[in-house]
Amino acid sequence: MDREIFKGNLAGVICMILWSSHFPLSVFILASWDAVALAPARMVLAGLVIAMVGLALGQGHAMFALVRDRRFVVISIVSGVSALFFIVGQSRIDAVSAAVIISAMPMFSAVMGWLEGLEKPRLKLLLAIALTVAGGVLTSSVSAQGSGSQGSLSGVLFVLVAIIAYVWFTRQLVVRFVTAPDIAKVSVSMLVGAVPCILVLVTVLGAGRTVEADFSTATLAIIAVMSCVSVGLSTVLWLWTGRVVGVTVAAMHHNMVPFYVIVMAAAGGSFVTGQHIAGAMLVIAGAILAQLPVRRRKIAVTQPVATGNDGKR
C-alpha cells in the first residue's frame, strides 16, 4: 500500500476513535445541558480553538479567503443545519435505526460521486459498501438492544437528511476546495455553521422556553475536551482522510464507531461480544477491498520481427 494511502487510513482510524469518545461524553453533558444550547457551544468552541491553531500555522490568509467565498459560506451553513437535524433526529428514534442510517454513509457518498461523474459504480466498490454497511449494522444492533426508544418517521427523516447533508458537505470541502488547508476549512466551516445553531437557540429562548446549561468547572472542562478533541481535531482528520483515500472510503471508517464505543464501554464493565468483533472485521474487509488496485488487462502487442536483407529469418 502506498505510504500516503496508509497515512490517510491511519488518520481515519484515529479520527473515528476520537469521534467515538464524543458519545459517552455527550451522555454525561446532556444530563445537565439542553441539546439546543450544547450544539452551538460545541461548534463555536471547536471552531475558535482550531482557528487559533490555523493562525499560528500562518493560515490566516486562507481562512479569510474562505470567509469571503459565498459558496463556502453556504456549504458551512448546510453543515450547521445538518448538526441540528441530527440532534433532533436522535431524540426521536432508537439507536438501531440511527445506526442503520449512519452506516449507509459510504453508499450516499458513492451515489453522489457517481452523479458527479467522479466515481464509477464498479462491482468491487458496491461489494465493499455492502460489507461496511453490514458490519456497521451488525455491531450497532448489539449495543442498541434494550434501549426501549420508540422510533418515528420524523426522526428517521431528520437523521437521514442530516447524514446526507454531512456527506455532501464533506465532499464539497474535499473536492471543491482541495487546495485550501484542512485546518482552515474546519475552523471557518464550524464558526459559520454555528450561526444557524445560534439562531435556533435565540428563537427558542425568545419563545420563552427554559434552556438548561450547567456552568460548573467540571462540566465546562468536559465540554472543552469534547469540542476541541472529539469534534474539532476529529473533523480535521476526517477531511484529511477524505482528501487522501476519498470520501466514500473515509465513510467506511465511520462504521467502526459503534465498535470503538463498545470497547470504550468495556473499560467500565461492558462486554465485547463476538458479534461486535465480526462486525468490525466486515467493516475492515470492506475498506480494504475498496482500496485494492484495479487490475488492468494486458493488451498483447505484436512486435515486428527483425529480418535480414533478404527478408528471411
Side-chain angles (χ1 to χ4, degrees):
M1 179 182 292
D2 182 84
R3 180 175 297 181
E4 191 66 18
I5 298 297
F6 173 78
K7 290 181 180 179
N9 281 284
L10 180 60
V13 172
I14 298 174
C15 163
M16 294 310 161
I17 292 176
L18 295 179
W19 171 241
S20 299
S21 67
H22 167 272
F23 292 92
L25 293 178
S26 294
V27 170
F28 176 83
I29 297 170
L30 288 174
S32 57
W33 270 70
D34 193 297
V36 177
L38 180 60
R42 185 185 66 178
M43 293 189 72
V44 169
L45 183 55
L48 288 175
V49 172
I50 299 298
M52 288 189 290
V53 174
L55 291 174
L57 295 176
Q59 298 182 9
H61 180 72
M63 293 163 61
F64 183 66
L66 291 174
V67 172
R68 297 178 60 188
D69 191 311
R70 293 183 180 180
R71 182 174 56 176
F72 188 87
V73 170
V74 172
I75 293 171
S76 300
I77 291 176
V78 170
S79 73
V81 174
S82 171
L84 280 174
F85 272 45
F86 188 73
I87 292 175
V88 174
Q90 273 188 309
S91 66
R92 299 187 181 188
I93 62 174
D94 61 282
V96 174
S97 299
V100 171
I101 298 172
I102 293 172
S103 64
M105 284 180 67
M107 180 181 67
F108 297 144
S109 178
V111 171
M112 291 180 192
W114 174 59
L115 294 176
E116 294 169 356
L118 300 177
E119 296 181 23
K120 294 182 179 180
R122 294 189 176 94
L123 178 61
K124 183 186 72 171
L125 178 61
L126 297 177
L127 178 57
I129 292 173
L131 287 173
T132 56
V133 171
V137 174
L138 185 64
T139 305
S140 303
S141 62
V142 183
S143 58
Q145 287 176 351
S147 61
S149 301
Q150 297 296 321
S152 70
L153 179 59
S154 64
V156 171
L157 292 177
F158 270 116
V159 174
L160 180 63
V161 172
I163 294 303
I164 293 176
Y166 187 72
V167 173
W168 179 83
F169 156 77
T170 303
R171 293 191 66 90
Q172 294 302 307
L173 262 58
V174 170
V175 177
R176 308 301 177 190
F177 296 89
V178 64
T179 59
D182 293 331
I183 291 178
K185 288 188 288 190
V186 171
S187 60
V188 176
S189 64
M190 284 192 170
L191 291 175
V192 175
V195 173
C197 298
I198 294 174
L199 291 177
V200 170
L201 175 60
V202 172
T203 302
V204 169
L205 292 174
R209 175 184 164 184
T210 301
V211 176
E212 186 179 7
D214 176 18
F215 291 97
S216 65
T217 303
T219 302
L220 291 178
I222 295 176
I223 291 177
V225 172
M226 180 187 69
S227 301
C228 300
V229 179
S230 303
V231 177
L233 179 56
S234 70
T235 305
V236 173
L237 294 173
W238 165 252
L239 291 185
W240 180 15
T241 303
R243 176 169 49 80
V244 175
V245 304
V247 179
T248 300
V249 175
M252 294 179 183
H253 281 282
H254 202 287
N255 288 348
M256 286 293 292
V257 169
F259 177 74
Y260 295 146
V261 172
I262 293 301
V263 171
M264 292 178 184
S270 297
F271 183 69
V272 178
T273 68
Q275 187 169 336
H276 293 135
I277 298 175
M281 292 300 102
L282 286 176
V283 173
I284 294 173
I288 293 176
L289 177 62
Q291 298 177 75
L292 290 177
V294 178
R295 290 186 177 181
R296 300 182 183 275
R297 293 182 178 179
K298 295 182 178 180
I299 301 177
V301 179
T302 303
Q303 299 291 342
V305 179
T307 61
N309 294 331
D310 58 356
K312 298 180 181 180
R313 293 184 61 182

